[in-house]
Amino acid sequence: MYFARIALVLASPTIVVAQSFADVTAASGMQGTAPADLRYGSGMATGDFDGDGDLDVVLTGTLGQPIRYFRNEGAMTFSDRSPQSGLGTSGSVRGVGTADIDNDGDLDLVIGNWHGAVQLFVNDGGGVFVDEAVSRGLVHVASNWSMSFGDYDRDGWLDLYVGNRYLAGQPGFPEANILYRNTGDGHFVDVTVAAGVGHLGATFVAPFVDYDEDGWPDIVCVNDKGPAILPNELYRNLGDGTFVPFGTSTGANDAIDGMGLDFVDAFRDGGIDYVCSDIPPNHLFNVWYPALQKYIDDAVPLGVTGGHTGWAVQFLDVDNDGWQDLHVVHEDGPNHLYRNPAMPHASSVPWSELGDALAPTWIQTTAIAADFDEDGRVDLLHRFEHAFGPQPPGLALHRNVLPAGHWLRVHTVGTVSNAQGIGARVDVITAGTRQRQHVRNGIGFLSSNDTRVHFGVGDASAVDVEVWWPSGQTQRIEGVPVDQTLTIVEPRMRLLGDAALGTDCAIELSVPADDGMQYAILVATNDAPGTPLGDGRVLPIVIDAVTEAAMGPGNGLIDGHLGVLQGGVGSAVLSVPDQSWIVGLTLFATGITYEPGAWPIGTTFPRAMPITFVP
């Protein structure tokens, strides 16, 4: 296989780019970057590291040379800020991940080195980093192929799952994967054994994927050498801090030479589908069959077999028609961009491969799909490896120049959930059709992609958006104008002050996305089993006599329980009776938002807020 790669490089010293993409590397400010020097590549990352609203780039992969940090200056141009970044020099880098580990609003960076110490670079908010791995509990030395973040215990802090391949000096002997629990403020503890996820396949990539959408992030382990060692595995999250192997039960235990993975609702039918790259003859396209509650590989009828050795995979809507297309990196042939035919899965219409080669023909395993110029079209950043013969450039930046439809990019900001909203489900609804994506991390291969979710919406001028947050919070925003990045801040409900006898305190709703909508704050004596709302959601209180009394004007318990959100905030004053017999009693409060004089409800809260009366 490797000699085929060498022959390919010798025969193809130039870069071929599809007509739909323009090579803008020379003008980008990133030209002259050295190629990665490890076979099978080194990771890179994109994200808004300096908080100015656009995507910067971090490149690793030349042993002993500086880790390159390129700040996005707009219009597909970057400036080299490596000397000021604090990132130092590259070791034998494999997986690279990004996440806001301490919920301070900026992106931190984790770098996994091949049988070396992991590095955790904490960001000061301006793109200057300090390695704090040891002081924050990341102390392992392993093969570090995959770095994936997700909040498996839904406590609002991002946890880290490390996918490992082989033990040092022992090819063919797998090294156990590692799960770190974030105990708060970006400090980690190894819970692998207790959680039951010390998988011993030769893992290349292992993201959190809530395959059954029960709200608890599961884990998919994609393994190399599956026929000889262990097949892929799906670990189901039981919601109590533990996981169980569920690959056999769901059809996800494919014995392949798995490399990269991405997941999305590819057919807009509500199921989570995923593509996993493989050696020839086929890649894996696991489609979720709800009637069977299983995955079935439909790569052949869908026409995405590839025919080459695949690595990174990314779903992207290349022309913004509302259907997710598929990009696959190949090491021994051209990359492929498969166009989604915009047909239901049952039609079995093959996905067409665009005629021109998107990829350079240099040896490559990793790539990033992201909108680097913020024009609403997803671009591609390719990373290359050293080769025999003519040496490749370090990278190629390809700008998407296709005529494209309208779009919406959703940036989730958690308040109760993790700050990035990783794991949130986002639905975009247009003219009765529904697209679904999850805010995902750890996909592709080796590299970290933009966590904002990009939707093409075709001819639509406005859309409705629904969000299911990891906390269980749900909200609906109607009539959102397109062609913008929509920042959605997670709703929050809190009690300001103590519910002490004879005093007043405030119940506050904060729902920035619903500014100008009406709100209602409700109380009851019980929070279970809840009250159905008729749209699949449940109000987390049992409406009773206290609820009805507190809704009346001049009720003496709650003032301002109905109103209009100002700046996204509404509040009500709770007057606590000066009656000693109520000490220790608990009321349960919740809230809803809705359009003036209209229905349905916009935002609901998954759990009621307990208010206990104190002396």
Side-chain angles (χ1 to χ4, degrees), residues 285-552:
F285 198 146
N286 264 358
V287 178
W288 181 251
Y289 280 68
L292 302 175
Q293 290 292 290
K294 295 190 72 170
Y295 283 104
I296 294 179
D297 176 20
D298 283 339
V300 172
L302 293 173
V304 297
T305 54
H308 303 283
T309 299
W311 292 94
V313 293
Q314 289 102 7
F315 281 106
L316 70 161
D317 188 348
V318 70
D319 55 0
N320 289 341
D321 68 347
W323 295 84
Q324 291 289 311
D325 310 301
L326 175 66
H327 178 247
V328 183
V329 168
H330 291 132
E331 73 166 79
D332 53 354
N335 293 356
H336 284 173
L337 180 63
Y338 295 98
R339 190 166 191 271
N340 190 323
M343 297 290 289
H345 173 249
S347 66
S348 296
V349 175
W351 293 34
S352 59
E353 205 281 302
L354 295 187
D356 291 325
L358 266 181
T361 48
W362 303 109
I363 297 172
Q364 176 188 12
T365 59
T366 191
I368 288 175
D371 184 4
F372 291 104
D373 57 356
E374 301 287 325
D375 70 345
R377 291 172 291 186
V378 180
D379 313 303
L380 291 168
L381 177 63
H382 300 280
R383 184 78 165 111
F384 308 121
E385 301 174 29
H386 278 291
F388 295 100
Q391 287 300 300
L395 56 81
L397 179 60
H398 290 165
R399 181 172 183 262
N400 186 339
V401 294
L402 271 174
H406 295 296
W407 56 278
L408 181 74
R409 186 180 299 114
V410 178
H411 175 211
T412 51
V413 178
T415 58
V416 182
S417 305
N418 66 86
Q420 288 176 270
I422 288 175
R425 178 184 124 190
V426 182
D427 285 14
V428 167
I429 303 105
T430 56
T433 65
R434 182 181 293 263
Q435 297 184 60
R436 175 171 300 168
Q437 293 190 60
H438 291 74
V439 181
R440 52 203 195 270
N441 186 282
I443 59 169
F445 177 73
L446 293 181
S447 298
S448 183
N449 289 260
D450 186 12
T451 55
R452 301 174 302 174
V453 284
H454 180 102
F455 295 88
V457 296
D459 296 331
S461 59
V463 300
D464 299 333
V465 180
E466 294 180 354
V467 183
W468 283 256
W469 294 87
S471 66
Q473 181 72 260
T474 61
Q475 63 186 129
R476 180 183 175 95
I477 308 167
E478 298 191 338
V480 176
V482 299
D483 297 337
Q484 64 158 320
T485 296
L486 175 68
T487 297
I488 303 179
V489 179
E490 183 180 17
R492 182 178 61 184
M493 188 172 186
R494 59 179 179 168
L495 184 68
L496 304 179
D498 295 324
L501 298 184
T503 66
D504 294 340
C505 56
I507 303 171
E508 181 187 81
L509 295 180
S510 176
V511 193
D514 293 354
D515 186 31
M517 292 179 66
Q518 289 187 339
Y519 69 86
I521 294 175
L522 311 168
V523 295
T525 57
N526 288 289
D527 64 341
T531 302
L533 292 173
D535 62 356
R537 292 185 284 180
V538 175
L539 194 69
I541 60 171
V542 179
I543 294 176
D544 57 16
V546 171
T547 312
E548 295 176 359
M551 291 292 288

Side-chain angles (χ1 to χ4, degrees), residues 163-215:
N164 296 314
R165 191 169 177 239
Y166 292 152
L167 292 167
Q170 301 183 64
F173 290 85
E175 184 170 28
N177 297 343
I178 304 168
L179 176 63
Y180 284 103
R181 179 175 179 264
N182 191 332
T183 60
D185 200 30
H187 292 84
F188 296 89
V189 61
D190 186 340
V191 295
T192 308
V193 174
V197 289
H199 185 66
L200 276 168
T203 301
F204 265 145
V205 62
F208 290 92
V209 182
D210 184 9
Y211 84 96
D212 54 0
E213 295 190 316
D214 66 351

Side-chain angles (χ1 to χ4, degrees), residues 94-283:
R94 288 305 191 187
V96 176
T98 60
D100 184 355
I101 63 161
D102 47 9
N103 285 348
D104 65 352
D106 56 51
L107 281 179
D108 309 299
L109 186 72
V110 60
I111 294 178
N113 293 290
W114 177 244
H115 299 302
V118 66
Q119 296 169 284
L120 175 61
F121 289 100
V122 177
N123 190 351
D124 73 348
V128 177
F129 301 84
V130 176
D131 185 0
E132 300 182 9
V134 173
S135 65
R136 291 178 178 267
L138 299 186
V139 295
H140 71 269
V141 174
S143 52
N144 293 295
W145 281 90
S146 172
M147 299 288 176
S148 303
F149 287 93
D151 186 4
Y152 82 93
D153 54 359
R154 295 170 57 181
D155 65 351
W157 300 96
L158 286 173
D159 312 300
L160 171 64
Y161 192 64
V162 180
N164 296 314
R165 191 169 177 239
Y166 292 152
L167 292 167
Q170 301 183 64
F173 290 85
E175 184 170 28
N177 297 343
I178 304 168
L179 176 63
Y180 284 103
R181 179 175 179 264
N182 191 332
T183 60
D185 200 30
H187 292 84
F188 296 89
V189 61
D190 186 340
V191 295
T192 308
V193 174
V197 289
H199 185 66
L200 276 168
T203 301
F204 265 145
V205 62
F208 290 92
V209 182
D210 184 9
Y211 84 96
D212 54 0
E213 295 190 316
D214 66 351
W216 294 97
D218 313 297
I219 299 172
V220 175
C221 294
V222 174
N223 297 330
D224 189 20
K225 314 301 180 188
I229 300 177
L230 278 181
N232 294 351
E233 185 59 271
L234 187 156
Y235 284 95
R236 186 181 183 192
N237 190 336
L238 298 182
D240 60 0
T242 67
F243 296 75
V244 293
F246 223 59
T248 301
S249 300
T250 55
N253 61 329
D254 302 278
I256 62 174
D257 289 277
M259 279 75 155
L261 179 141
D262 196 5
F263 64 94
V264 77
D265 179 9
F267 302 96
R268 306 201 318 198
D269 56 7
I272 294 180
D273 314 302
Y274 67 87
V275 168
C276 177
S277 55
D278 191 8
I279 63 173
N282 298 334
H283 299 314

